[in-house]
Amino acid sequence: IGIIDKRIEGMDCKNGFILDGFPRTVLQAEELDRILKNKGYPLNVVLSIDASEEEIVKRLGGRRSCKECGEVFHIDFNPSKKAGVCDKCGAELFQRKDDNEKTVRERLKVYNKQTSPLISYYKDKGKLKSIKGEGDIKEIFLSLCEMVEKG
């Protein structure tokens, strides 16, 4: 909470900002509401990207990262030209520990227990907008951009 409080004081946040992955609990959401109110910042919209558990496992489980430059690929949606090799620098690609199927499923359990109550919290405040998170990634991204712009 303190990190967010300090970070949004930056000059680059004066005209607005996007928080990705925060808050994660209702308690954090309540603290964020307090901080925003004290600073005079409105909360325009909260976006929820809806996708099945299997789609989430597929998306996260398919990510591959470069050990050298950090470039990110996906085995289905953005594969490297040569399997296991970074297109940018030629280094080896790897799967992060938190992207393996077992870890992703554990993360989803935590999400369902701690984070999913935020859906009702923000819905009750009239701030929640949901977007279908399955299908063409570019279309999903354009929908997100449209929702952010509408605020």
Side-chain angles (χ1 to χ4, degrees), residues 2-125:
I3 291 169
I4 296 293
D5 190 10
K6 287 185 181 186
R7 178 62 186 94
I8 64 177
E9 289 177 359
M11 288 302 296
D12 59 335
C13 293
K14 293 295 179 200
N15 293 319
F17 50 89
I18 296 172
L19 299 175
D20 179 11
F22 183 87
R24 290 183 184 234
T25 66
V26 172
L27 181 61
Q28 288 177 347
E30 291 167 346
E31 285 298 307
L32 178 62
D33 289 345
R34 182 187 59 75
I35 289 168
L36 295 176
K37 183 178 180 184
N38 288 343
K39 293 185 184 308
Y41 288 143
L43 176 64
N44 296 331
V45 65
V46 174
L47 299 174
S48 174
I49 304 171
D50 299 333
S52 69
E53 184 171 308
E54 291 311 309
E55 182 71 13
I56 293 167
V57 169
K58 180 180 178 181
R59 293 259 175 109
L60 296 179
R63 288 196 300 203
R64 300 296 184 268
S65 301
C66 177
K67 288 186 175 187
E68 294 298 320
C69 72
E71 190 77 11
V72 179
F73 297 88
H74 192 282
I75 60 174
D76 295 319
F77 306 116
N78 181 34
S80 58
K81 290 176 184 150
K82 184 177 177 188
V85 178
C86 179
D87 293 348
K88 190 173 178 182
C89 74
E92 181 183 353
L93 300 180
F94 73 104
Q95 183 181 45
R96 299 178 340 177
K97 272 187 182 177
D98 59 343
D99 286 344
N100 73 53
E101 182 176 348
K102 182 179 178 187
T103 304
V104 171
R105 291 193 188 279
E106 283 301 314
R107 289 167 57 196
L108 286 167
K109 285 180 189 174
V110 171
Y111 170 84
N112 288 325
K113 183 177 179 182
Q114 295 180 357
T115 305
S116 66
L118 288 171
I119 301 296
S120 296
Y121 179 82
Y122 284 118
K123 191 179 224 178
D124 291 348
K125 291 180 171 288

